[in-house]
Amino acid sequence: MLRTPGETVYPMPTMSIPDPRHLPPFDELLQYDAIRLFVERALISWSAFPFTPATAPFVAEICQQLDGIPLAIELAAVRVNALPVEKIAERLDYRFRVLTRGSRTALPRHQTLLALVDWSYDLLEEAERALLQRLSVFSGGWTLEAAEAICAVNPEGEPYSLDIHPMDMLDLLTRLVDKTLVQVPEVRGENTRYRLLETIRQYARQKLRAAGEEHLTSESHGRFFLNLVIEANLMLKSPEQKTWTARLRAEQDNIRAAYTWWLQTNPANAVQMAGLLGRYWDRQGFYTEGRETLAKALSVADTVPALFKIKALKWASGLAMRQSNFKKATTQAEEGLILARELDDRVNMAAFLNVLGLITSGEGNDRAARNYMEESVAVQRELGNPWGLAISLGNLSNITRAMGDAQKALEYMQECIKISHELGDMHLIASNLDGLAECYIDLDELETAKPHLEEALHIQKELGDQQGQAYSLSDMGIVAWLQKDYVLAQDFHEKSLVIRREIGDRNGEGYVLNLMGINALAREDYKKAQQYLKNALAILLPLGDQRNSINCVEELGHVALGLGDPVQAVKLWAAAHAWRERVGTPMPKMFRPFHEAHIVQACELLGEETFRAVWEKGSAMAFEQVVAYADELVDGPE
């Protein structure tokens, strides 16, 4: 660039690349510039190079890792005569060693990837070099604010060898952008994000390491993102939660890198950070990542402050509960409750009681769950903690409704809605709107329920709340089923099922398959209903979800009746009824008319005396017998 009047700069984009995680059909791949260049150069190097559906994903991976840089792609392609493409892809973390042989007729700086980047780097001024090195600490990009805090003067720690004043940062960044070493994918004012191509980032990181400043820069990076997570933890409960959710999502790669740094150098900071991220993981449906991160943090938590460990245990147990690992969730929640009691930390005591209530409810023990929730609500009221009260009260409402008292559940949920609106917590508002709709469904007020579900789903989509969307969609499916719109019900359930599978919600997956089985029953598609219900039972039983397992057994009884076996139907219904009596879980009100109509039909087919005799046999069956009977006598579809 000459920076003369009238000069216009046109950025040169890298070559087009498909997403290796979501490749288009094989016959469309050569439409991408990077793929086409790789294949052309590979065929020159080895005329028998096999570009096939089997090798295409590795070619796409290579092109993506090399950022669509033509020279880098050419240097990788010439290696196909010595290495399979999958091995080339594996070795690109060491690209400056691998990509070393170019055309002998090219300029020296174009013969190896290292020579090309060296040439660009040598043209930089000292401050530009220092900044480029420090920028390599970022993963997934950065903002101007982050660059100023991390890469300029370091007031909180050891000084850099060359100070960069924060006021000079924008000018230096602009110069690196002009020299195409820093990329600006999109200009969005103060939210504009910058990034390094991975090739440049690896090169700059090597230079940072050689300059002896990798530890210092990583420490500054870790401190910045720890502080960001501390602030976000509070703001995710505020009216600004949408903005902060988006900010955390944009910084996910940096947060992961900062956590990894603290895990290696300062376990207390790692445990604190993991515990503070729990709410974000929970709301976004990132259960698996959250649990894995918290497990690593808790493995080094023996000597960290107890409060950090308590918060990590709280979210570890909560996320385990979300994925229906009730045994692990219970162990972690009980450990956390003991620690909270030792510290007389009543806020977290109430939180663990809430988690234990959710766990026992998930297992189908609603009596015990209600006791936990009532104690949690009492503590929250005593503390005057409106946010915690709204959470525990909402869960108490759900358990109360499951136990058959929809009117009392509605009263609890109306109090929750009032509190959540006062707090301005949109996530909580959406969750409570969903709970409110479920109360109205049980009270046969479907037209009142529908707008609450629609409003909840709208908010959840805006917030990126995957779990909430899954719940709202399945509830909308229930409303459609009750209104006999079975096609619409199936559509809602299928959408909910996709989300639950994506976020690893196995219990929710089983629940929705159960609902799809009921929908198929209403359409008298008994073979399809069998398939859904047996798949649901195969998921729910190992998880210990008694409530929904009972539902499946009952519904398999309806399948048996539809397939012409009233004896089997009555046995399954009687066994499920006895099971319900033992655990204190009544049949959901919305399904009772459907169930009662079929009981009358079976009684008419068998006669009252035979019906009673079969019912008694079913009632006496042990749990294992019930499951085996349902599995053996109701054969799945061919």
Side-chain angles (χ1 to χ4, degrees):
M1 289 179 61
L2 301 176
R3 296 188 178 276
T4 59
E7 180 182 24
T8 301
V9 177
Y10 294 96
M12 290 291 291
T14 56
M15 304 183 87
S16 58
I17 315 166
D19 183 347
R21 297 166 300 179
H22 306 288
L23 283 179
F26 176 72
D27 58 4
E28 296 178 14
L29 285 175
L30 289 176
Q31 296 175 16
Y32 292 88
D33 298 334
I35 301 289
R36 190 167 59 252
L37 177 64
F38 185 96
V39 173
E40 288 173 356
R41 294 300 184 267
L43 287 170
I44 292 171
S45 178
W46 178 31
S47 60
F49 170 68
F51 183 60
T52 66
T55 59
F58 298 106
V59 173
E61 176 73 19
I62 291 166
C63 293
Q64 185 194 54
Q65 285 198 55
L66 295 175
D67 307 304
I69 299 172
L71 174 62
I73 291 171
E74 290 193 35
L75 292 171
V78 300
R79 291 291 186 184
V80 298
N81 64 353
L83 284 173
V85 285
E86 56 267 33
K87 293 298 182 183
I88 296 174
E90 284 177 13
R91 296 179 180 213
L92 286 182
D93 282 346
Y94 310 97
R95 62 194 64 191
F96 295 109
R97 293 181 182 177
V98 175
L99 308 182
T100 57
R101 189 185 69 184
S103 169
R104 293 180 181 178
T105 62
L107 292 171
R109 66 174 180 267
H110 288 168
Q111 290 183 11
T112 72
L113 185 61
L114 180 60
L116 175 67
V117 183
D118 270 339
W119 180 76
S120 298
Y121 182 81
D122 289 343
L123 295 175
L124 298 179
E125 296 177 11
E126 185 180 20
E128 293 170 342
R129 291 182 189 178
L131 177 57
L132 183 65
Q133 291 170 16
R134 296 169 199 171
L135 292 173
S136 69
V137 78
F138 288 104
S139 296
W142 66 89
T143 61
L144 177 62
E145 175 197 6
E148 289 172 342
I150 295 168
C151 302
V153 177
N154 190 1
E156 295 187 46
E158 180 186 344
Y160 287 118
S161 58
L162 176 70
D163 280 345
I164 297 174
H165 196 280
M167 295 300 293
D168 295 331
M169 184 60 65
L170 180 59
D171 177 60
L172 284 171
L173 266 179
T174 302
R175 282 150 59 180
L176 291 174
V177 170
D178 290 344
K179 294 172 182 179
T180 69
L181 289 167
V182 169
Q183 310 293 307
V184 187
E186 184 181 359
V187 176
R188 292 183 295 171
E190 64 180 17
N191 293 320
T192 295
R193 292 190 67 79
Y194 304 83
R195 64 181 284 264
L196 294 176
L197 296 179
E198 181 59 22
T199 297
I200 303 301
R201 194 190 73 82
Q202 286 193 24
Y203 177 91
R205 191 60 175 251
Q206 291 177 10
K207 292 292 185 181
L208 181 69
R209 192 172 297 123
E213 292 193 339
E214 185 176 31
H215 186 282
L216 178 60
T217 313
S218 296
E219 190 87 4
S220 182
H221 176 273
R223 189 164 50 247
F224 178 86
F225 285 102
L226 174 58
N227 290 334
L228 177 74
V229 168
I230 291 171
E231 187 176 4
N233 180 59
L234 297 173
M235 300 307 292
L236 286 178
K237 298 191 289 186
S238 78
E240 295 180 47
Q241 61 191 204
K242 181 180 177 181
T243 299
W244 278 87
T245 297
R247 187 170 182 186
L248 287 179
R249 187 178 281 274
E251 299 293 4
Q252 275 186 143
D253 289 336
N254 280 312
I255 290 167
R256 289 173 185 137
Y259 165 79
T260 300
W261 172 255
W262 292 130
L263 194 65
Q264 296 167 351
T265 62
N266 188 323
N269 284 353
V271 176
Q272 182 188 16
M273 197 171 194
L276 292 170
L277 284 166
R279 180 169 292 109
Y280 171 71
W281 288 322
D282 184 47
R283 292 183 172 185
Q284 296 299 298
F286 299 153
Y287 304 146
T288 300
E289 178 180 358
R291 289 186 65 196
E292 290 174 352
T293 305
L294 285 159
K296 290 177 184 175
L298 287 167
S299 72
V300 297
D302 289 343
T303 59
V304 307
L307 190 58
F308 294 173
K309 185 174 182 179
I310 286 172
K311 190 171 284 289
L313 282 166
K314 179 178 73 175
W315 285 111
S317 61
L319 296 179
M321 181 272 301
R322 293 290 192 208
Q323 292 193 317
S324 304
N325 190 333
F326 298 130
K327 184 176 180 180
K328 186 69 173 178
T330 300
T331 300
Q332 291 174 322
E334 288 176 344
E335 181 184 355
L337 183 58
I338 290 169
L339 284 174
R341 290 191 193 280
E342 287 175 355
L343 295 179
D344 195 28
D345 179 355
R346 295 180 64 75
V347 172
N348 280 310
M349 282 167 54
F352 282 114
L353 289 167
N354 178 69
V355 172
L356 286 165
L358 289 172
I359 293 166
T360 50
S361 175
E363 292 174 324
N365 189 347
D366 286 329
R367 292 193 191 100
R370 182 175 59 188
N371 292 338
Y372 279 124
M373 286 304 175
E374 287 175 344
E375 186 178 355
S376 180
V377 167
V379 174
Q380 299 287 16
R381 288 194 192 280
E382 182 184 328
L383 292 170
N385 179 8
W387 194 85
L389 176 60
I391 294 290
S392 296
L393 200 57
N395 290 326
L396 178 59
S397 171
N398 293 334
I399 292 165
T400 302
R401 182 178 53 79
M403 296 183 74
D405 192 347
Q407 189 58 52
K408 186 63 177 176
L410 179 63
E411 293 172 16
Y412 289 142
M413 197 57 75
Q414 286 171 333
E415 184 180 355
C416 286
I417 286 283
K418 182 175 181 295
I419 296 170
S420 58
H421 276 290
E422 290 170 353
L423 294 170
D425 185 333
M426 296 307 295
H427 179 275
L428 201 52
I429 289 169
S431 176
N432 291 337
L433 283 168
D434 199 5
L436 200 63
E438 290 173 343
C439 293
Y440 284 122
I441 290 170
D442 275 11
L443 292 168
D444 298 323
E445 297 182 37
L446 301 183
E447 292 305 319
T448 305
K450 285 169 71 173
H452 290 312
L453 290 172
E454 289 164 0
E455 184 181 355
L457 185 62
H458 175 74
I459 295 170
Q460 288 153 351
K461 285 182 176 178
E462 282 203 330
L463 295 176
D465 177 1
Q466 296 279 77
Q467 182 204 41
Q469 291 178 59
Y471 275 109
S472 293
L473 286 165
S474 56
D475 282 341
M476 293 169 90
I478 289 171
V479 171
W481 180 81
L482 289 168
Q483 295 183 325
K484 302 188 187 309
D485 190 340
Y486 305 128
V487 173
L488 182 60
Q490 182 73 8
D491 182 59
F492 283 133
H493 292 326
E494 287 177 353
K495 288 175 180 174
S496 178
L497 185 64
V498 168
I499 295 173
R500 292 179 192 271
R501 283 174 171 166
E502 285 178 352
I503 64 177
D505 179 4
R506 290 286 285 166
N507 185 259
E509 180 182 350
Y511 170 68
V512 175
L513 286 168
N514 177 18
L515 294 177
M516 292 168 79
I518 296 170
N519 196 48
L521 277 171
R523 299 196 312 268
E524 298 184 354
D525 186 348
Y526 300 115
K527 287 292 185 181
K528 197 68 176 175
Q530 270 183 338
Q531 185 180 39
Y532 287 138
L533 294 168
K534 293 188 78 174
N535 288 344
L537 200 56
I539 292 171
L540 296 166
L541 276 173
L543 295 176
D545 183 343
Q546 297 189 76
R547 180 189 298 111
N548 286 307
S549 295
I550 293 170
N551 292 342
C552 288
V553 169
E554 277 170 344
E555 288 141 20
L556 283 167
H558 295 297
V559 169
L561 183 65
L563 293 175
D565 191 344
V567 171
Q568 183 184 5
V570 174
K571 274 190 180 180
L572 290 170
W573 293 334
H577 178 76
W579 196 356
R580 284 193 186 283
E581 291 289 309
R582 286 194 297 274
V583 299
T585 300
M587 178 182 292
K589 186 179 177 183
M590 68 191 85
F591 301 133
R592 289 175 198 167
F594 180 82
H595 181 68
E596 288 164 0
H598 281 183
I599 283 186
V600 170
Q601 183 184 349
C603 189
E604 290 173 351
L605 288 169
L606 294 174
E608 189 170 339
E609 186 176 342
T610 303
F611 180 91
R612 287 184 183 279
V614 174
W615 187 274
E616 287 180 12
K617 287 182 180 179
S619 298
M621 292 172 71
F623 168 76
E624 293 79 7
Q625 290 176 298
V626 176
V627 175
Y629 189 70
D631 189 56
E632 291 172 9
L633 297 184
V634 182
D635 294 327
E638 297 298 324

